[in-house]
Amino acid sequence: MLSSLGSSSNHIYVLANDNNYSNGPRSEEVLQIRKSDMKINKIWTVRISDDRYVHNATFVGDNTMYALFHNGGYDNYK
């Protein structure tokens, strides 16, 4: 499931995850797509920890992502 989009001058960034997922050991993927030909340039797999999961993010350039994640250990968001 698509969760978040953002872009820079040359790339589109996509956080591909299930934003209805509450907690657990799932990994998430960030895709970097070239605007020139709309092909995937890079894929990063990320995982914060066993009890944290990213629910939403925004990309403000090629080097910065701001994310909201759920902390299942304390049942809150950060």
Side-chain angles (χ1 to χ4, degrees), residues 14-75:
V14 177
L15 174 66
N17 71 359
D18 179 358
N19 62 0
N20 293 318
Y21 186 60
S22 59
N23 294 304
R26 288 189 191 175
S27 296
E28 299 155 287
E29 293 182 332
V30 175
L31 289 74
Q32 182 188 60
I33 301 167
R34 289 188 300 261
K35 285 184 175 179
S36 61
D37 58 7
M38 297 304 287
K39 292 188 178 182
I40 295 173
N41 187 49
K42 293 182 182 178
I43 299 175
W44 294 275
T45 302
V46 295
R47 186 171 129 193
I48 298 171
S49 75
D50 285 340
D51 61 351
R52 291 175 174 84
Y53 194 79
V54 175
H55 284 269
N56 204 347
T58 187
F59 301 86
V60 294
D62 287 321
N63 299 308
T64 307
M65 173 181 91
Y66 295 105
L68 171 70
F69 69 89
H70 185 255
N71 181 337
Y74 295 100
D75 195 28

Side-chain angles (χ1 to χ4, degrees), residues 1-18:
M1 175 185 291
L2 167 67
S3 178
S4 304
L5 284 172
S7 68
S8 67
S9 59
N10 296 317
H11 300 101
I12 297 169
Y13 292 90
V14 177
L15 174 66
N17 71 359
D18 179 358

